[in-house]
C-alpha cells in the first residue's frame, strides 16, 4: 500500500508521488489521475492494495478522494471493498480504480497466442475465471485455488457493482491493457448481498396499483446490470422499441434469447399468479417507469401489466411513440377490455409471424 507522505528525504513530495504512480502503472495513468487530484495529494489517499483492511484502518472524514492502483479483478470481495471506500469518502468524494474487462482479456489472449490455440486458451480461461466463480458448486473451489486473484469481470458487472455501492461514473479511459474509471459518491450502498448469477433472475417491476411484483426471467444481461439504467440513459439514447442503444449489458446468448422471447417464458408463472395478463403494457422497472409522464404512470398502474405489449401491434419507432401507443391501448381497454385485448393479440401475432418483428 502506498499513502501520500514525505517518505524520502530531500525529494519533493509531488515528485515522490508521481514516481510511485508511474513505477506502479505508467505515465498515462498518472496524467489521467491528475485530472482529478491536487498535485500535493494532501486530501487524497493513494493505495495499491487488494484488501479492504488497508482502507478500513484509515480515519474517516479525512480524504476527499481515494485512488487504488490494483485491479478490481484481484480483489476477492469487491463489493465489501467498494462499500468501505464509500464509508470513508464524503458526498461527491471521488474514487479512481481500474479493471481488466473480459473484452480486454480476450483481446490480450488472442494476440498473445497463435491462431486456433488462442481461442482454446481463451475458452478455458473464460470457463475457469468467469463461470466457476459464479456457480455455487464450483465457487468455493475457485476461490480456494486462486484466492480470488485474476477473476474475469465484464464491464457491465464492474459498473453495476460500482453503482450498487453508491457511486456514479464520472470519467473512464482505456490505458494500454486496463480500463480506468473515476467515480463519485452519490449515496449509500445498496448492500446487495444476494445477487443472482444463474440462468434465472427475479426482477422488481411495477404492477397494478403501483405494487412491486417480482418478475421471473431468463438471464440475458451480465450480473448487476439492473443498477445501470441511469448510466445507460445518460450515455445512450433510446432506440426504436424503447430499448437502450448500444446496451453493453446484454450478453451474446442473451441477444439470441431476446430475439425469440425465450427469456420471457418464466413470466408465465406471473400469469398463473394473476399478477399479469396475456395482453397489456410491459411491467417496468422503477427507473424506466420514472421516464413516463405522470398522467401515463397513473393510468398504467390502474391495470395489470401484460406479456404481449401494445408495441408489437403498433410498432412505435421511439419513446414518445411508445407512450402514445400505450395510452391508446389503455384508453381503449378502459372502454372495452375484452375486445381490445383480442384485437391487440391478433394484430401483434400477425406482426410477429409475418412481419418478423422481434425483441432486441
Amino acid at each position: 500500500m502506498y499513502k501520500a507522505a514525505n517518505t524520502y528525504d530531500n525529494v519533493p513530495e509531488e515528485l515522490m508521488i508521481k514516481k510511485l504512480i508511474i513505477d506502479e502503472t505508467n505515465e498515462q495513468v498518472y496524467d489521467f489521475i491528475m485530472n482529478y487530484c491536487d498535485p500535493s495529494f494532501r486530501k487524497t489517499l493513494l493505495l495499491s492494495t487488494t484488501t479492504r483492511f488497508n482502507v478500513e484502518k484509515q480515519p474517516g472524514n479525512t480524504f476527499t478522494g481515494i485512488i487504488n492502483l490494483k485491479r478490481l479483478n484481484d480483489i476477492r470481495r469487491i463489493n465489501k471493498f467498494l462499500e468501505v471506500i464509500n464509508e470513508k469518502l464524503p458526498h461527491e468524494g471521488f474514487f479512481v480504480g481500474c479493471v481488466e474487462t473480459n473484452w480486454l482479456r480476450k483481446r490480450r489472449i488472442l494476440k498473445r497466442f497463435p491462431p486456433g490455440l488462442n481461442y482454446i486458451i481463451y475458452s478455458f480461461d473464460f470457463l475457469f475465471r468467469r463461470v466457476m466463480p459464479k456457480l455455487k458448486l464450483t465457487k468455493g473451489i475457485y476461490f480456494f485455488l486462486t484466492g480470488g486473484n485474476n477473476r474475469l469481470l465484464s464491464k457491465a458487472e464492474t459498473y453495476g457493482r460500482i453503482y450498487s455501492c453508491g457511486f456514479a461514473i464520472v470519467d473512464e479511459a482505456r490505458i494500454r491493457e486496463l480500463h480506468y474509471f473515476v467515480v463519485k459518491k452519490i449515496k449509500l450502498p445498496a448492500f446487495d448481498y444476494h445477487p443472482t448469477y444463474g440462468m434465472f433472475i427475479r426482477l422488481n417491476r411495477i404492477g397494478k396499483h403501483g405494487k412491486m411484483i417480482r418478475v421471473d426471467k431468463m438471464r440475458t444481461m451480465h450480473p448487476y446490470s439492473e443498477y445501470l439504467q441511469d448510466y445507460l440513459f445518460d450515455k445512450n439514447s433510446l432506440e426504436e422499441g424503447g430499448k437502450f442503444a448500444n446496451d453493453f449489458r446484454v450478453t451474446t446468448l442473451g441477444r439470441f434469447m431476446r430475439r425469440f422471447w425465450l427469456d420471457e417464458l418464466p413470466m408465465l408463472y406471473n400469469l398463473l399468479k394473476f399478477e399479469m395478463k396475456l395482453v397489456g403494457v410491459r411491467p417496468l422497472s422503477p427507473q424506466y417507469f420514472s421516464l413516463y409522464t405522470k398522467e401515463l404512470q397513473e393510468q398504467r398502474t390502474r391495470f395489470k401489466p401484460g406479456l404481449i405489449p401494445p408495441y408489437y401491434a403498433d410498432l412505435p419507432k421511439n419513446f414518445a411513440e411508445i407512450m402514445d401507443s400505450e395510452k391508446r391501448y389503455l384508453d381503449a381497454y378502459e372502454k372495452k377490455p375484452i375486445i381490445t385485448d383480442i384485437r391487440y393479440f391478433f394484430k401483434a401475432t400477425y406482426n410477429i409471424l409475418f412481419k418478423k418483428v422481434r425483441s432486441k
Side-chain angles (χ1 to χ4, degrees):
M1 180 191 74
Y2 299 121
K3 182 180 176 181
N6 197 4
T7 306
Y8 305 126
D9 293 336
N10 302 319
V11 178
E13 188 175 29
E14 292 179 19
L15 291 180
M16 182 272 292
I17 294 171
K18 180 177 180 179
K19 185 177 186 307
L20 285 174
I21 295 173
I22 292 176
D23 286 349
E24 186 79 3
T25 57
N26 56 67
E27 197 157 354
Q28 286 178 277
V29 173
Y30 174 78
D31 292 339
F32 178 72
I33 289 172
M34 294 315 295
N35 290 324
Y36 300 92
C37 289
D38 181 331
S40 71
F41 276 72
R42 287 191 177 90
K43 287 288 187 179
T44 304
L45 178 65
L46 178 61
L47 301 167
S48 183
T49 183
T50 59
T51 172
R52 70 179 187 272
F53 171 80
N54 291 323
V55 185
E56 283 180 319
K57 71 177 186 177
Q58 302 299 328
N61 301 316
T62 303
F63 306 104
T64 57
I66 298 176
I67 299 167
N68 187 31
L69 302 178
K70 289 293 187 183
R71 309 179 308 168
L72 286 183
N73 309 72
D74 298 320
I75 297 173
R76 178 161 183 167
R77 301 186 183 278
I78 297 173
N79 283 34
K80 289 286 189 183
F81 185 87
L82 294 172
E83 287 165 7
V84 172
I85 288 176
N86 182 294
E87 178 188 336
K88 298 297 180 181
L89 289 174
H91 184 69
E92 297 201 341
F94 74 89
F95 168 62
V96 180
C98 64
V99 63
E100 183 185 41
T101 63
N102 58 351
W103 183 84
L104 290 172
R105 176 85 63 91
K106 180 179 181 180
R107 192 180 71 159
R108 176 168 62 83
I109 292 175
L110 295 186
K111 285 171 61 177
R112 182 178 177 183
F113 297 97
L117 179 62
N118 55 4
Y119 274 97
I120 295 174
I121 293 173
Y122 172 72
S123 297
F124 277 103
D125 183 74
F126 183 87
L127 289 172
F128 180 63
R129 300 196 179 276
R130 180 65 176 165
V131 178
M132 276 188 69
K134 304 298 184 190
L135 300 179
K136 289 183 179 180
L137 292 176
T138 57
K139 182 178 179 180
I141 298 173
Y142 173 82
F143 283 106
F144 174 77
L145 293 174
T146 68
N149 291 327
N150 207 21
R151 202 177 341 168
L152 188 55
L153 298 168
S154 67
K155 179 183 174 182
E157 179 180 347
T158 301
Y159 278 18
R161 287 176 179 269
I162 287 170
Y163 271 79
S164 76
C165 291
F167 296 98
I169 301 293
V170 174
D171 197 4
E172 52 194 315
R174 193 175 75 218
I175 302 176
R176 297 187 183 178
E177 296 302 321
L178 292 177
H179 186 90
Y180 284 82
F181 52 82
V182 181
V183 303
K184 66 178 178 180
K185 175 180 174 178
I186 57 172
K187 58 185 178 181
L188 294 177
F191 299 107
D192 187 354
Y193 297 137
H194 301 287
T196 57
Y197 299 112
M199 289 183 60
F200 297 94
I201 58 173
R202 305 197 75 186
L203 302 170
N204 290 322
R205 293 293 184 261
I206 296 175
K208 187 176 181 181
H209 303 312
K211 178 185 175 183
M212 201 66 69
I213 62 174
R214 300 279 281 179
V215 171
D216 299 283
K217 298 187 73 175
M218 293 186 71
R219 178 179 295 283
T220 60
M221 292 184 176
H222 294 283
Y224 289 94
S225 289
E226 63 269 27
Y227 291 99
L228 290 177
Q229 286 191 308
D230 290 340
Y231 172 81
L232 263 292
F233 188 73
D234 290 338
K235 293 288 183 180
N236 303 300
S237 59
L238 294 174
E239 60 182 6
E240 287 190 17
K243 302 285 187 178
F244 287 109
N246 305 314
D247 194 341
F248 67 96
R249 301 174 302 169
V250 183
T251 65
T252 302
L253 179 60
R255 295 185 191 282
F256 172 81
M257 289 195 293
R258 286 185 172 200
R259 183 170 178 80
F260 297 99
W261 300 286
L262 299 177
D263 61 311
E264 297 188 354
L265 289 177
M267 291 172 66
L268 291 171
Y269 179 62
N270 297 97
L271 190 70
L272 295 175
K273 289 169 62 180
F274 300 104
E275 294 176 332
M276 297 177 63
K277 57 195 186 76
L278 185 60
V279 178
V281 293
R282 282 187 183 277
L284 300 179
S285 67
Q287 295 94 331
Y288 202 101
F289 184 77
S290 67
L291 303 178
Y292 280 65
T293 64
K294 291 294 183 184
E295 179 187 2
L296 190 51
Q297 287 179 10
E298 292 173 2
Q299 190 175 20
R300 271 177 137 267
T301 55
R302 290 204 292 268
F303 310 100
K304 291 180 184 179
L307 290 176
I308 302 174
Y311 165 78
Y312 290 110
D314 296 336
L315 304 182
K317 296 187 179 299
N318 53 53
F319 185 60
E321 290 185 9
I322 288 173
M323 289 196 294
D324 288 340
S325 168
E326 291 187 356
K327 183 165 180 20
R328 286 196 303 273
Y329 164 78
L330 292 170
D331 288 342
Y333 184 80
E334 282 187 281
K335 297 174 183 176
K336 299 178 180 180
I338 297 176
I339 293 175
T340 298
D341 275 0
I342 291 173
R343 180 163 57 87
Y344 271 82
F345 174 81
F346 282 107
K347 190 173 181 181
T349 302
Y350 176 84
N351 287 338
I352 291 168
L353 294 178
F354 298 102
K355 291 189 177 181
K356 306 298 181 182
V357 177
R358 295 290 185 268
S359 180
K360 297 181 179 180

